[in-house]
Amino acid sequence: MKYAIGIDYGTESGRVILVNITNGDIVATSVTPYPHGVITGKKGKESVLQVPQDYLDVLAKSIPEVLINIEPSDVIGIGLDFTSCTMLPVNEKLQPLCELQQHKDNPHAYVKLWKHHEAEDEAKQLTTIVQNEKWIQRYGGIISSEWMLPKIMEIANDDPALFEEATFFLEAGDWVVSKLTNTLTRNSCSAGYKGTWHKETGYIANETLQKIHPALDNIYNTKLAGEVKSTGTKAGILSKEMSELTGLCEGTPVAVGIIDAHAALPGAGVSEPGTLVIVMGTSSCHLLLSDNEVLVPGISGVVEDGILPGYYAYEAGQAAVGDLFSHFIKKHNANFQTLTEQARLLKPGESGLLALDWHNGCRTPYVDSTLSGLLIGEKLSTQPYEIYRALLEATAFGTRVIIELFENNNIPINKVVATGGIPKKNTLLMEIYADILQKEITVIENDQAPALGAAILGAVAANAYNSFPEAINQMASKQSITYKPNKENEQTYNELFGMYEKLSTYFVQQSSIMYDLHKLKGEKQQ
């Protein structure tokens, strides 16, 4: 038996799986919660930080746990995925600046998690400056505050001394790979989607960088230096130090990293165009392969070889899904099962409620973290389960917006696949999605698709397979369940979706209320 290890770095924990490379069976699993968790409010209300040592703790604890019953020499490759853009400043030895005594209380020295939104002003400034440049159309015409450059600009504006001290700004996934191999490597997936890199033209021209911010002058040759390597290729081999930490053999091939949601596409068994993969977790990420590069407004990006070689890979997303549901359940001290059973008894439209799912901002199509959630139709008689159902429906409406965005730009979607823990757990949600999208939805029974996708990358990087399609065919998840749309609900949901679109358009294009409230809140907090 030969195995690959897949490491899935999520928002709150890291998961390590041991996979039989012959059939994709997951032989062992270990999850390590981050000891320091998610740190919020250390700089501002939209500040979301982490401690980088937590990521190494995942390696030290979980890898030995999955190796208990096998010989380390039987592990032929390692792959990992990571949230993005999750970035950190390091020195020339790749040591995080937050580990230095003089910076232990400085929030800018820590990891800025993907959903850190303090750089919204910088993102809007950047977008305004480059709005007429052709390359920005690959990102729907808007730069997100979640991406690399706005987060770097935030540090340059708030703490110029720390900015100057940082030797590199790294994606956390690239930092872990670099620590594993002692070789600085940047992955094409994160660089393409979150760092404005393009396979043919490279990064943004330095002339443009100088216009954006003086601190960005020549930054791709200095603080963002490092070879960009394609997903699925080998980043290097496991170092002696990391061999001792993990129990794996020195010299084991380590794959170039990939964004966590994007790893779910191969993990879910997708290797060709026409299938939309919805990775549903804290947020939702929508991924789609295509033979063509089309500049679609409002998407998160299109990157050649961004997920699998030979294809253009599109990304869109919703910023609050699992976060939204769990927040509501905690707020009302409700029981998930009871709430679901009550909500299931409602007919579409029966509650008289409609929600906008922008509680963590809107990723697609408006790419704006200042937008906020909305519930309309609430009365004194409104029950929690009615609101809960309206929130479930709102996320489905948000996904329908994304699907229609692609289809209206001549990118066909023939099949919808959902993966992650939520689709497997929440059958009502999947029934609602099928009805609102009016498409069959295939739910992958295995909720470890990102980790499995990472293991597939590790196997390919180790030359266990000659191609991705071959590896995916052998190793990807096979078990699934299909949800079919209920035609009886189609008309009502079409009406509700029309209302959802009107509300969306109104609060983005006709009313400044959401923006004014956000501005007022910021002024009062200062």
Side-chain angles (χ1 to χ4, degrees):
M1 292 288 184
K2 296 297 179 182
Y3 306 91
I5 279 183
I7 310 168
D8 172 32
Y9 282 100
T11 299
E12 298 180 345
S13 64
R15 180 190 305 268
V16 175
I17 64 172
L18 182 70
V19 182
N20 183 325
I21 66 168
T22 303
N23 54 22
D25 286 349
I26 297 175
V27 179
T29 301
S30 174
V31 178
T32 298
Y34 301 142
H36 296 90
V38 176
I39 304 167
T40 58
K42 196 165 183 177
K43 175 184 176 290
K45 203 166 185 181
E46 302 296 328
S47 174
V48 189
L49 311 176
Q50 286 191 322
V51 175
Q53 179 59 42
D54 290 357
Y55 310 145
L56 300 185
D57 289 346
V58 172
L59 304 177
K61 182 176 183 295
S62 283
I63 291 181
E65 286 185 358
V66 302
L67 294 177
I68 289 175
N69 295 316
I70 73 155
E71 290 294 327
S73 59
D74 287 331
V75 175
I76 55 92
I78 306 164
L80 70 81
D81 65 71
F82 216 108
T83 61
S84 180
C85 172
T86 294
M87 61 85 80
L88 70 159
V90 300
N91 63 19
E92 70 279 1
K93 297 179 180 179
L94 302 187
Q95 181 182 16
L97 297 189
C98 63
E99 295 180 357
L100 303 178
Q101 182 63 28
Q102 65 267 34
H103 295 310
K104 65 182 181 65
D105 295 321
N106 185 343
H108 287 305
Y110 286 77
V111 173
K112 293 184 188 294
L113 194 60
W114 65 270
K115 60 179 179 177
H116 173 92
H117 288 151
E118 285 291 328
E120 185 63 39
D121 289 343
E122 285 82 1
K124 288 182 176 179
Q125 174 195 345
L126 199 164
T127 299
T128 299
I129 293 171
V130 302
Q131 61 183 328
N132 294 322
E133 298 203 13
K134 185 177 180 179
W135 63 264
I136 197 176
Q137 300 309 316
R138 296 197 302 269
Y139 304 99
I142 302 173
I143 297 297
S144 168
S145 64
E146 296 179 359
W147 296 1
M148 180 66 80
L149 285 182
K151 286 174 175 173
I152 292 176
M153 290 167 63
E154 179 199 358
I155 294 175
N157 287 333
D158 290 359
D159 195 336
L162 185 86
F163 173 86
E164 290 298 329
E165 185 174 344
T167 304
F168 299 110
F169 293 102
L170 291 175
E171 285 274 358
D174 292 337
W175 179 70
V176 174
V177 169
S178 299
K179 293 288 286 185
L180 286 170
T181 62
N182 276 338
T183 304
L184 178 58
T185 300
R186 297 185 186 269
N187 75 85
S188 62
C189 186
S190 296
Y193 288 104
K194 314 300 180 181
T196 66
W197 174 84
H198 189 267
K199 182 180 178 181
E200 295 182 3
T201 59
Y203 289 109
I204 303 173
N206 198 57
E207 181 182 356
T208 301
L209 292 173
Q210 292 170 335
K211 294 178 184 177
I212 296 170
H213 196 291
L216 299 184
D217 183 27
N218 205 37
I219 196 167
Y220 289 118
N221 294 318
T222 54
K223 299 179 188 294
L224 288 176
E227 182 183 0
V228 177
K229 292 187 177 181
S230 297
T231 300
T233 60
K234 187 170 75 171
I237 57 175
L238 193 68
S239 69
K240 180 180 180 180
E241 178 187 359
M242 286 294 147
S243 170
E244 293 171 352
L245 179 74
T246 62
L248 290 167
C249 293
E250 182 181 357
T252 304
V254 178
V256 172
I258 189 172
I259 299 174
D260 57 342
H262 299 57
L265 189 143
V270 176
S271 60
E272 57 187 19
T275 298
L276 180 74
V277 177
I278 310 174
V279 186
M280 302 180 70
T282 305
S283 60
S284 275
C285 193
H286 303 69
L287 305 165
L288 183 66
L289 300 177
S290 175
D291 292 315
N292 303 306
E293 182 180 46
V294 180
L295 303 180
V296 181
I299 63 169
S300 300
V302 52
V303 178
E304 186 177 1
D305 300 342
I307 301 178
L308 296 181
Y311 294 113
Y312 292 94
Y314 291 81
E315 177 193 347
Q318 293 166 271
V321 181
D323 257 4
L324 177 56
F325 306 149
S326 62
H327 171 77
F328 179 82
I329 290 171
K330 289 177 183 177
K331 178 181 177 182
H332 290 272
N333 195 26
N335 177 274
F336 166 75
Q337 198 62 43
T338 302
L339 205 61
T340 300
E341 290 172 359
Q342 292 172 324
R344 191 187 297 277
L345 297 176
L346 292 170
K347 296 178 182 179
E350 184 178 349
S351 67
L353 299 174
L354 181 65
L356 289 180
D357 53 317
W358 297 345
H359 295 66
N360 202 24
C362 177
R363 188 174 296 161
T364 302
Y366 300 116
V367 199
D368 193 338
S369 66
T370 62
L371 293 173
S372 52
L374 176 73
L375 180 70
I376 189 168
E378 185 175 16
K379 294 189 174 183
L380 293 177
S381 58
T382 298
Q383 298 298 311
Y385 64 87
E386 294 176 309
I387 300 174
Y388 176 65
R389 177 161 183 137
L391 295 177
L392 299 182
E393 291 171 340
T395 66
F397 290 138
T399 290
R400 180 165 166 176
V401 167
I402 290 168
I403 287 177
E404 292 191 358
L405 191 64
F406 282 122
E407 292 181 333
N408 291 339
N409 282 275
N410 299 314
I411 303 174
I413 295 175
N414 306 317
K415 185 179 179 181
V416 177
V417 172
T419 186
I422 292 176
K424 185 179 176 182
K425 177 183 177 183
N426 198 328
T427 58
L428 173 60
L429 181 68
M430 291 298 94
E431 292 168 5
I432 289 173
Y433 267 58
D435 288 352
I436 288 177
L437 304 182
Q438 281 298 300
K439 293 179 181 289
E440 288 190 3
I441 299 179
T442 299
V443 173
I444 303 300
E445 290 276 75
N446 179 359
D447 59 2
Q448 300 185 53
L452 183 54
I456 291 173
L457 297 185
V460 173
N463 295 318
Y465 289 97
N466 294 319
S467 68
F468 269 107
E470 182 184 357
I472 291 169
N473 183 58
Q474 289 295 115
M475 294 179 62
S477 299
K478 304 295 191 300
Q479 293 183 322
S480 64
I481 183 172
T482 299
Y483 291 85
K484 297 184 178 182
N486 184 345
K487 287 293 182 182
E488 293 180 5
N489 296 332
E490 182 176 10
Q491 182 177 345
T492 302
Y493 274 137
N494 283 342
E495 291 179 22
L496 286 169
F497 179 65
M499 298 176 197
Y500 177 94
E501 288 191 301
K502 287 180 181 178
L503 274 180
S504 302
T505 302
Y506 174 76
F507 280 104
V508 172
Q509 298 180 5
Q510 297 172 254
S511 171
S512 65
I513 290 176
M514 287 188 181
Y515 301 104
D516 293 341
L517 287 172
H518 181 82
K519 181 180 179 182
L520 183 63
K521 178 182 72 171
E523 291 173 350
K524 295 302 180 182
Q525 287 175 347
Q526 291 178 354

